Each structure stands twice: as structure tokens, then as C-alpha cells.
Amino acid sequence: MKLIEYKINKYGKKPFFGVILHEGRQWLSLKYNITDYELDGICFVNKHFLKDLKEIDRGSMKSKIIPLKYVDYDKDIELINKLNIENYQGFFKSLKTLGQLIEIGLHKNETFFVGVISDVLEKSFIINSIDPDANDEGKRRIAYSKVRYIKINTEYVKSLSLYINWKGKGF
């Protein structure tokens, strides 16, 4: 397992961390290390906006603890292998096939949307967006070129999915 530190263009000076799962031509997929030793979901970072990527010192506590905690590595690799992360359109079609909530980070760290991909076009995709209270916000068209990251299977989106299913709305 390779634990890395990286930054995303226009997302401040604070680095992000994760365990690399796969690197495609346009996307870097990793198990997201939200803070300290906590792992949360899979993050796909648009390589166009990736900067200051470096491996974490293998002697650090983080490098020793994360592999011990990361028991779902093989399961995550299996999921990644089902997705086409070589190009934008293929990637978003793969995510659409999953049919689950995703988090989409755009041009600023504070700007993200949660929703389900409903359509994949040549240069953009459409999501059925929801607000933080899981209310329908309608459809949003997002250009591939604007996406900084996509997160799946995070505690946040899992919680919203549970709530939506509990309310009986479904996707």
C-alpha cells in the first residue's frame, strides 16, 4: 500500500491524504484518509487539478497504522476494477451504472454537490442533486472539466442514502 499526501488546485494549502488504489490517465483513485488514522470512502481525484503529490514517509505512524486498519483493500480494488477510469465519459458512465449517491467537488473546497448520475453526455453529465437534508434539488449539468474530485461510499453519502431509503423516496 502506498500512502500519499497531495493537494488539489484552489483547495487551500492543507494537504489531503489517501492510499493509492489505481492510477488512470485522468483519475487517481484512492482510499480517502479523512483525518489522522480514519479512512472514509473512495476518492477519485481529477489528475488535471492534482499537485504536490508525494509518498508519506514509511517510518511515520500514519504509514504504520493505516495498513493495519485498511481491511477492505481487496474489496475496494475489486470495485475500482469495475470502473473505467481512463477517460471522463467512460468513468461517469461507470458511476451511473453503480446507481448510488456520490459527492462531487468542484472549483472551490466549499463547493460540492451530492446526487445520483442520471445521464452522461459528451462533455458533461447530469445529476439528480440533493441538499444536506436529502431534499430534491433537481437536475444539475456539470462539465467534466469542472470536477476536482468524486467521492463514493463515504459515511456522509451512506448516511444520506440510508435516510432517503428510510423516507421511502429511493433514487
Side-chain angles (χ1 to χ4, degrees), residues 88-143:
Y88 291 125
Q89 193 171 37
F91 177 60
F92 286 99
K93 282 182 179 179
S94 297
L95 289 175
K96 179 183 178 205
T97 301
L98 290 179
Q100 66 186 41
L101 280 179
I102 61 173
E103 179 181 321
I104 304 157
L106 298 178
H107 60 286
K108 293 182 184 173
N109 199 11
E110 303 84 30
T111 306
F112 70 92
F113 297 101
V114 174
V116 176
I117 296 176
S118 62
D119 202 5
V120 178
L121 309 169
E122 188 176 334
K123 294 184 179 187
S124 62
F125 62 99
I126 297 173
I127 64 164
N128 295 332
S129 182
I130 61 170
D131 69 15
D133 294 321
N135 297 312
D136 185 12
E137 284 192 320
K139 295 186 181 295
R140 291 187 186 275
R141 184 178 183 157
I142 301 173

Side-chain angles (χ1 to χ4, degrees), residues 1 3 19 33 35-39 56-71:
M1 280 185 221
L3 182 64
V19 176
N33 175 216
T35 184
D36 295 328
Y37 312 117
E38 293 181 49
L39 297 171
I56 301 294
D57 176 21
R58 292 188 185 267
S60 72
M61 282 296 285
K62 190 176 265 198
S63 293
K64 293 175 183 175
I65 292 174
I66 294 294
L68 296 172
K69 288 189 71 172
Y70 193 7
V71 295

Side-chain angles (χ1 to χ4, degrees), residues 135-157:
N135 297 312
D136 185 12
E137 284 192 320
K139 295 186 181 295
R140 291 187 186 275
R141 184 178 183 157
I142 301 173
Y144 300 143
S145 61
K146 302 289 184 192
V147 177
R148 299 296 203 264
Y149 71 81
I150 299 284
K151 290 181 186 175
I152 62 172
N153 298 339
T154 64
E155 288 303 315
Y156 181 67
V157 295

Side-chain angles (χ1 to χ4, degrees), residues 2-4 18 25 46 51 63 83 105 108 117 138 152 165:
K2 187 174 179 181
L3 182 64
I4 61 161
R25 193 166 45 91
N46 186 335
K51 64 180 188 176
S63 293
L83 302 174
K108 293 182 184 173
I117 296 176
I152 62 172
N165 288 333

